[in-house]
Every structure is written in C-alpha cells, then in structure tokens.
Amino acid sequence: MTSAPRTRDADGPMFPFRTVVLGALLPSLVFAIGVGAMLPIIVPSAVGLGSSLAVAGVVAALLPVGQILADLPAGSLAARVGDRRAMILAGVVAAGAFAGAAAATSLVLLAVAVLATGAAAAVFNLARHSYLTEITPPLRRARVLSTLAGVHRIGQFLGPFAGAAVIHGGELGYAYLLGVGTALAATVTVALARDDTARSALPAAGTLRQRRAAGREARRAHAGPSMLEVLYAHRKVLSTLGVAVLLVGAVRGARQTVLPLWGEYLGLDPATTSLIFGLAGAVDMLLFYPAGKVMDRMGRLWIGVPSMLVMGAAMIALPFTHTVASMSVVAALMGLGNGMSSGILMTLGADVSPASGRARFLGAWRVLQDSGGALGPLVVSAGAALGSLAAGIWVTGLLGAGAAAALLRWVPRWSVHANRTTRRQAGLIT
C-alpha cells in the first residue's frame, strides 16, 4: 500500500496557536455575538422611533451597505496601520456605534449608528482575514480560515439568543449595550494577545526610540502600493475569478432571504419559520472544520464546486415544498451546502492575494464578496415584485450552478491550490 503524498509543510505547526486563537478567533466570536444581537432588533427599534416598515427595512439594510462602502478604505487602513491595530480601532468604533444605537432618539441617529457598525465590521473582518493570511502556512490555510468563518457563524447564531436574554422584560437598548460590551471585549482581547510574528519582525536591540522608528519604517514598507495600483495590477484576477466570488456571495446572501419569504408564502407561523431557519443554521455550523480539512488536503475545488451545486439544487427544490417537513428537509440541505462552503472565499482570497499590497487587494476582494451578498436577496425580491417568488428563488438556484462553473473555470488558473494536480505541477506535493 502506498503512502499518502507528503506536503512541504506537513510537519510544521498549523499556526502560532496563542496568536491565532487569542488574536483572531476568540475576538471574532465575541464581536459576532454583538452584531448577531443587533440584527433582529434594528427593525423594531426603527419602528419604535416612528418609521414605517419599509423605512425600517432600509435602516436594517444600512448594515451591509456600511460593509460594502468600507471594504476598500478598510484595506487601505489595515495596510497603513497594520492588521492588529486596524482590528483594535474597528472594535472601538463599533463600541461607539452600538452605544449610539442604544441612545438614539431619532431615526437619523439610529441609521448613522447602524451604518457605522457595518463599516466597523468591514474593517474588523478585513483585518483579521489579512492577519491570518499573513501568518498561516498555505497548506494549512483553509482549516484556519474555515474555522474563522465557522466561529463568525457561531457568534451570529448565538447573538440573537444573547440579545433576547438581556432584553427579556426590559428595553431593546439593552441588546445594543450588549454589543458595546462584546466590541470592547474583542478589542481588549486583540490588544492583549501576544503577537509573536510582529515581535520577531522588530529589532531585538536598540533604544526604545530606535525600535519605534524601526516599527514605523516596517509598517510603511508593509503598506506597499496604492489601492489604484493594486486594482490595476490585479485587474485580470478580479475580473475573472472575481465573478465567481460575486456569484458565490449572491447564492449565500439569497439563503438568508428565501427561507423566511417562502415560510411567509406558505402561511407558516413566524416561530415555525424561525425553527426551520435555525435548523439550517445548526447544520451549517457542523461542517466548517471538515470543509477546511478537505480544502487543505484535496484542493479548493473539492469543496467550492459541490457546495454551490448543493445550494443551487436546494434553491430550485424549495418552491416545490408545501409542508413544514418538506421545507425543513430542503432548509437542512441548504445549510449543508452553505456549511460546506465555509471559508471558501476567504481561502481563495488568501491564495491569490499578493505579498505586497495584500490588505488592499483583500479589500477589493471583499467588495465583490459583500456585493454578491447584497445582490442575492435583491434577485429574490425582484422575482416577488414581478409576481413570482418561486421564479426569483429558481434564478438564485441557477446562480448556484453558474458559481460552480465559474469556480471550475477560473480557480485552477489563479490558485495553485485548486486541486492535487495543480499542487503537484507547482511542486507543493510529491
């Protein structure tokens, strides 16, 4: 029996454990709990301040809008001040935004606070992505980034329950105050986490002034080319593989919308729809580490393509469900596909990001990812507005097939980690 092919870094550590867990994973979990607690209460908060349901929906949409608007500036900020400092700054801004939402006495103030929260989340997410890309060995990268994605999902899953606990019998503002606490806790954790990688890059000797000067010089060197230079230099990958990123984001974004809308169409009780949605989320959270392990061992396509096909098939099947049981089965299938894809976009972004200008490149990458996430629900809503919710859902199912085809076409061109063949050709495995 032949032994499995060995990778070049198979015997090395997966990552600096303390740096990654305390510097990125734990803060991400805590930060996501605060955002998750905020999501369900934006609409009732806006209504309580006198808005209509339509306007309240717009206010809630400002959270992802803030993320999209801040993605490119987030890349520039992380490049200038460093990934960890950007995470700390984002945590402070998020705490202020949560506090502003809690104290908001007008719809405008609430809208500004929601927009600022989205922008802070964009900076935090971009910085942790860039940070882990920098310090994780490429052949262990998918497991780390899939774990990061899984931790984020767990946090957003727990957030609404934590928010419900603190506002039980009290004010909605208590959930925002919970966000203040989680944002500050995440910030403190990042600040206190030992960063061995950054410490090793600084000179061991010299006066404090000399070490600080060397650190400033290292950060200036790390900043690399401007955003326009990065966009121009990598226009081909962003305009080809970036299409796949947009489509994957659209399918994932639609998943958040189709289940509640179809439950409403069937006339299900909101509590029943919530349980079905929770079932999909539970299945989703079970798969992030196995998905990362498959991507590391077999290549990115072994997860990317099947996950999109499964999600596309679930989308197409959803309009054929007419009972709680059948809808639950399809929701679980949708959660399976989404869980399989955990970390795929962050991993691909890390694979193709340049060493010089990485944070700015990842900012552009996340614009595509987040724009796709906003596009998916719009496709479903457009179908409903035109008179056929089922047609809108079926279109998103076709987007799943398109995403799989785009990944199959472009990932091998741009990433040596597409599959075992591309790795062997690049000399990464024997």
Side-chain angles (χ1 to χ4, degrees), residues 72-152:
L72 287 180
S76 295
L77 176 66
R80 287 183 177 276
V81 305
D83 301 325
R84 293 179 71 253
R85 292 189 178 190
M87 290 173 71
I88 292 171
L89 179 60
V92 172
V93 172
F98 281 124
T105 55
S106 72
L107 196 60
V108 173
L109 291 177
L110 177 64
V112 171
V114 173
L115 189 70
T117 303
V123 175
F124 195 90
N125 294 341
L126 179 281
R128 68 184 186 179
H129 186 186
S130 178
Y131 179 58
L132 292 183
T133 299
E134 187 88 24
I135 67 174
T136 306
L139 296 178
R140 310 294 181 91
R141 178 179 289 154
R143 273 168 284 183
V144 174
L145 293 178
S146 292
T147 301
L148 175 63
V151 162
H152 176 79

Side-chain angles (χ1 to χ4, degrees), residues 1 297 306:
M1 182 172 62
R297 292 178 64 87

Side-chain angles (χ1 to χ4, degrees), residues 58-74:
V58 172
V59 174
L62 290 176
L63 190 71
V65 167
Q67 288 184 281
I68 295 171
L69 292 177
D71 278 331
L72 287 180

Side-chain angles (χ1 to χ4, degrees), residues 31 117 175-176 249 338 394 410:
F31 191 91
T117 303
Y176 295 118
N338 198 56
W394 283 330
W410 296 114

Side-chain angles (χ1 to χ4, degrees), residues 36 51-52 69 94 97 104 192 205 216 232 274 407 420:
S51 81
S52 65
L69 292 177
L192 294 180
R216 288 192 297 269
Y232 182 78
S274 296
L407 290 170
R420 299 184 73 82

Side-chain angles (χ1 to χ4, degrees), residues 344-355:
I344 181 65
L345 293 184
M346 287 195 294
T347 301
L348 287 173
D351 287 346
V352 301
S353 63

Side-chain angles (χ1 to χ4, degrees), residues 68 70-76 126 227 230-231 234 238 242 245 357-371:
I68 295 171
D71 278 331
L72 287 180
S76 295
L126 179 281
M227 180 61 77
V230 169
L231 293 177
H234 303 283
L238 291 172
V245 173
R358 174 175 285 122
R360 291 188 170 95
F361 176 88
L362 292 177
W365 186 267
R366 295 191 75 91
V367 168
L368 295 168
Q369 178 178 336
D370 291 340
S371 296

Side-chain angles (χ1 to χ4, degrees), residues 27-425:
S28 297
L29 173 65
V30 176
F31 191 91
I33 289 173
V35 176
M38 180 187 205
L39 289 174
I41 64 168
I42 297 174
V43 168
S45 296
V47 171
L49 292 173
S51 81
S52 65
L53 282 177
V55 173
V58 172
V59 174
L62 290 176
L63 190 71
V65 167
Q67 288 184 281
I68 295 171
L69 292 177
D71 278 331
L72 287 180
S76 295
L77 176 66
R80 287 183 177 276
V81 305
D83 301 325
R84 293 179 71 253
R85 292 189 178 190
M87 290 173 71
I88 292 171
L89 179 60
V92 172
V93 172
F98 281 124
T105 55
S106 72
L107 196 60
V108 173
L109 291 177
L110 177 64
V112 171
V114 173
L115 189 70
T117 303
V123 175
F124 195 90
N125 294 341
L126 179 281
R128 68 184 186 179
H129 186 186
S130 178
Y131 179 58
L132 292 183
T133 299
E134 187 88 24
I135 67 174
T136 306
L139 296 178
R140 310 294 181 91
R141 178 179 289 154
R143 273 168 284 183
V144 174
L145 293 178
S146 292
T147 301
L148 175 63
V151 162
H152 176 79
R153 294 177 190 194
I154 291 171
Q156 290 212 331
F157 180 80
L158 295 176
F161 296 101
V166 298
I167 65 176
H168 181 66
E171 300 290 335
L172 285 177
Y174 292 169
Y176 295 118
L177 295 179
L178 172 65
V180 174
T182 58
L184 291 177
T187 303
V188 170
T189 305
V190 173
L192 294 180
R194 188 177 68 188
D195 187 5
D196 297 328
T197 57
R199 185 178 288 113
S200 63
L202 295 177
T207 66
L208 178 61
R209 179 177 297 179
Q210 289 172 333
R211 292 198 299 271
R212 287 177 175 173
R216 288 192 297 269
E217 189 65 32
R219 286 192 293 274
R220 280 194 293 269
H222 178 71
S226 68
M227 180 61 77
L228 288 178
E229 289 171 334
V230 169
L231 293 177
Y232 182 78
H234 303 283
R235 63 193 183 281
K236 291 184 179 179
V237 65
L238 291 172
S239 62
T240 52
L241 185 56
V243 174
V245 173
L246 189 73
L247 292 174
V248 172
V251 175
R252 286 173 157 184
R255 184 191 70 89
Q256 302 283 349
T257 304
V258 295
L259 291 175
L261 285 178
W262 192 250
E264 184 68 22
Y265 176 80
L266 294 180
L268 300 182
D269 181 82
T272 302
T273 302
S274 296
L275 287 174
I276 294 173
F277 195 88
L279 170 66
V283 175
D284 185 339
M285 290 187 297
L286 294 174
L287 297 173
F288 62 86
Y289 187 80
K293 191 167 184 176
V294 171
M295 282 193 282
D296 275 336
R297 292 178 64 87
M298 306 297 294
R300 314 319 188 204
L301 289 178
W302 283 85
I303 285 296
V305 172
S307 67
M308 290 299 103
L309 292 177
V310 169
M311 289 195 73
M315 294 283 185
I316 292 172
L318 183 63
F320 294 104
T321 63
H322 301 288
T323 65
V324 171
S326 60
M327 185 177 169
S328 297
V329 171
V330 172
L333 184 64
M334 206 174 293
L336 175 69
N338 198 56
M340 288 170 62
S341 72
S342 180
I344 181 65
L345 293 184
M346 287 195 294
T347 301
L348 287 173
D351 287 346
V352 301
S353 63
S356 178
R358 174 175 285 122
R360 291 188 170 95
F361 176 88
L362 292 177
W365 186 267
R366 295 191 75 91
V367 168
L368 295 168
Q369 178 178 336
D370 291 340
S371 296
L375 174 65
L378 291 178
V379 171
V380 179
S381 299
L386 294 174
S388 178
L389 174 60
I393 297 174
W394 283 330
V395 169
T396 60
L398 295 177
L399 290 179
L407 290 170
L408 197 61
R409 171 67 179 87
W410 296 114
V411 173
R413 175 174 175 178
W414 296 109
S415 174
V416 298
H417 302 289
N419 51 43
R420 299 184 73 82
T421 300
T422 55
R423 283 178 172 170
R424 190 173 291 108
Q425 290 171 347

